[in-house]
Amino acid sequence: MNKKIFIALFILSLVSPSLLYPVLKDHVDTTNYENRTFAPPPRLTADNFANIPGEFEAYYNDHAPFKNFFVKLYTKMETKVFGAASVAPITVGRENWLFYTYNVPGEDALSDYQHLNLYSTEEREELAGVIKRVDEGARKQGIRFFLFEAPNKESVYGGYMPSKIPVYGDKSRLDVLIPELQDNHLPVYYLADSLREYADAYQLYLKYDTHWNPLGAYIASQQISRAMGGRDVPLENLEIVSAGTTSGDMARMLNMAEEFSDDTEYFINDYLPDIKTESILRTEDSEYEVFCSNSPNDRTLLVLGDSFSHGLKPYLSKMYKNSIFVTFHTYTPEVFSQYEVDDFIYLTVERNQKYLENIEAILKGEYVEAAE
C-alpha cells in the first residue's frame, strides 16, 4: 500500500505543475532573468520534423512551469546544505559569491577556471599570426592597435569558488598565451596583472554580477593607460565612495535579487577633475556611445569590446578629445573611416574566447556568431 501511495505521489509531483500552471501563471514570476533569449516554440512543419523533439525540449526547459520558483528553491536548499550550489550557468561559491560558469561553443568559463582548455603550440602560433596581421594592417592605416583581455571574476577571486571544483595546473589559457604574444612584440595585455595586485586590498568585482565594479574598471583603465603611454593615477590618490548596497545580474538569473543584495556599490571621485566629458551620441542600450572632452590629447580613440568595456567609459573617455565605444553587436568596419580613428582598443573578457580567436573576421565584418 505504501508503495502505491509513493508511486501516486511521485506521478502527482510530475503532472501537477503542468496542471496548475494555466490557472496560476498570472500569479507567478515568469520573468526571463538570463542573459540570453529563451528558445521559441518548435516549428511544426513537415520540413522541420526531425528537429521538433530537440526544439521542444529547449522550449520546455526555458518555459517550464514554475521554473523561477524551483530554481530559487534549489539554490536555497543546496546553499544551505552544502554552502555552495551550481545552477547552470551560475556557480554559487563561498560567502554567496556568484560566478558565471557559462559553457557554450567559444565560451567556457569553467574550463578557463580549471585550466582545461589550454591552447596547443600550433593554436598559439596561429593566434600570434592572426594578431600580427591585425597589428600590421592597423599600422598601415596609421592606427595604433592594442588588445586587452579582462579576466573572468574567478580568475581573480578564485578563493571564493567551491573547493569541490578542482583546478589543474598553475596557469590558465591566457596565463600561457599572452606572455608568448608579448615575446613576439605584439601589443597584447592581460588585465589580470593589475587586478590581482589590488584584489586583496579592494573588492574589484561585483559579488552578484558577471562584471567588475567601478574600482576594478578603474584599475584596468590605468593599466590600459600605462600601456598606451598615458597618465597613471593610483587608486590610492582618489576618493572612493560607498553608495549603499546592490545586487547583480546573476542574482536576478537565480530569482534571488532580494536575498543576494548586500554587495557594496562603489564610486570614484576626483579622477582628472579638470577634464570634462560629454556623451554626444548614445543608443538606448549604450552599446554604441560617442564622447567628446576637453582633454589635451586631440587624438581619437575607438574601443571595440564586450560588456566589460562599459565600465571603462568614465576613465578612458578622459584620455582623448574624442572617443567611441562600440560593442561586438553594433560594430561595423565603417566606424574607422567615419571617425578617423588614431588609437584602437580591442577588449574582451577571458571567457569570450570566440572574440579573441575570430578577431580578424570580426574586424572585417565577416564573423557570424553561432546561435546558443
Side-chain angles (χ1 to χ4, degrees):
M1 186 66 178
N2 290 338
K3 185 176 180 181
K4 291 182 178 179
I5 293 174
F6 177 80
I7 293 173
L9 290 173
F10 177 72
I11 294 174
L12 183 64
S13 70
L14 293 177
V15 301
S16 58
S18 296
L19 295 176
L20 291 171
Y21 187 70
V23 178
L24 300 175
K25 66 179 181 179
D26 293 333
H27 304 283
V28 297
D29 183 11
T30 59
T31 305
N32 177 5
Y33 294 106
E34 300 184 32
N35 286 340
R36 63 183 181 87
T37 303
F38 279 172
R43 189 163 54 88
L44 303 177
T45 60
D47 64 309
N48 193 50
F49 183 79
N51 299 322
I52 290 175
E55 291 181 358
F56 176 80
E57 181 180 6
Y59 174 77
Y60 187 82
N61 287 341
D62 282 347
H63 300 84
F66 307 103
K67 175 185 175 180
N68 288 342
F69 169 78
F70 286 115
V71 167
K72 184 175 184 177
L73 180 63
Y74 176 83
T75 304
K76 282 187 171 182
M77 290 176 58
E78 212 179 14
T79 304
K80 186 76 172 176
V81 175
F82 300 107
S86 183
V87 183
I90 296 167
T91 295
V92 184
R94 299 171 183 176
E95 300 181 23
N96 289 335
W97 274 66
L98 303 183
F99 297 94
Y100 195 53
T101 47
Y102 202 43
N103 181 6
V104 294
E107 186 175 353
D108 188 352
L110 187 57
S111 290
D112 282 327
Y113 172 70
Q114 293 186 285
H115 304 167
L116 293 175
N117 57 352
L118 302 184
Y119 289 123
S120 67
T121 301
E122 292 76 14
E123 289 171 330
R124 298 198 302 273
E125 290 175 350
E126 182 179 353
L127 267 173
V130 168
I131 295 170
K132 184 178 181 180
R133 288 195 296 272
V134 170
D135 184 39
E136 290 175 345
R139 288 173 183 272
K140 289 178 181 178
Q141 299 179 60
I143 298 172
R144 294 198 306 163
F145 164 70
F146 301 85
L147 189 154
F148 295 96
E149 285 283 324
N152 299 333
K153 179 161 63 174
E154 53 272 20
S155 293
V156 177
Y157 289 107
Y160 290 102
M161 283 285 282
S163 57
K164 65 181 180 182
I165 299 179
V167 176
Y168 303 94
D170 297 330
K171 294 184 177 182
S172 71
R173 170 174 55 90
L174 295 185
D175 288 330
V176 175
L177 173 68
I178 291 182
E180 288 190 4
L181 296 176
Q182 292 174 339
D183 287 343
N184 284 312
H185 307 290
L186 295 173
V188 180
Y189 304 87
Y190 194 19
L191 296 172
D193 296 343
S194 54
L195 290 163
R196 287 168 179 165
E197 181 181 343
Y198 279 83
D200 291 336
Y202 301 92
Q203 182 184 321
L204 305 180
Y205 281 70
L206 291 159
K207 186 176 179 181
Y208 305 125
D209 199 277
T210 53
H211 301 92
W212 46 29
N213 63 18
L215 305 187
Y218 180 78
I219 293 298
S221 75
Q222 297 311 286
Q223 183 178 342
I224 291 172
S225 181
R226 290 193 299 272
M228 301 179 72
R231 290 197 239 180
D232 177 10
V233 181
L235 181 59
E236 299 88 336
N237 294 0
L238 303 177
E239 180 187 13
I240 300 172
V241 179
S242 300
T245 57
T246 187
S247 183
D249 56 6
M250 285 188 286
R252 292 188 291 273
M253 290 182 214
L254 295 173
N255 195 18
M256 295 184 68
E258 292 183 4
E259 290 83 352
F260 294 157
S261 60
D262 61 343
D263 196 11
T264 303
E265 190 166 15
Y266 293 104
F267 293 97
I268 293 175
N269 286 335
D270 300 329
Y271 173 63
L272 302 182
D274 296 333
I275 299 179
K276 310 299 180 183
T277 62
E278 180 184 2
S279 175
I280 59 174
L281 176 65
R282 183 175 71 88
T283 57
E284 186 175 352
D285 55 12
S286 298
E287 294 209 351
Y288 192 112
E289 190 163 11
V290 180
F291 294 87
C292 65
S293 80
N294 62 335
S295 170
N297 179 8
D298 61 1
R299 296 171 67 83
T300 296
L301 170 70
L302 171 65
V303 179
L304 170 58
D306 53 30
S307 57
F308 270 66
S309 64
H310 294 322
L312 298 172
K313 291 177 181 179
Y315 316 119
L316 297 187
S317 63
K318 289 194 171 190
M319 292 171 53
Y320 290 79
K321 190 168 293 285
N322 301 290
S323 53
I324 306 97
F325 292 79
V326 184
T327 67
F328 295 108
H329 300 117
T330 56
Y331 166 80
T332 59
E334 290 73 26
V335 71
F336 282 95
S337 57
Q338 181 180 356
Y339 289 100
E340 299 183 357
V341 173
D342 298 298
D343 290 350
F344 170 45
I345 290 175
Y346 190 92
L347 182 140
T348 179
V349 69
E350 176 182 0
R351 65 174 178 267
N352 276 335
Q353 187 172 347
K354 57 194 172 188
Y355 295 139
L356 172 62
E357 295 171 355
N358 294 286
I359 179 173
E360 204 167 23
I362 288 170
L363 293 180
K364 292 177 181 178
E366 299 172 352
Y367 177 67
V368 178
E369 194 163 337
E372 295 177 2

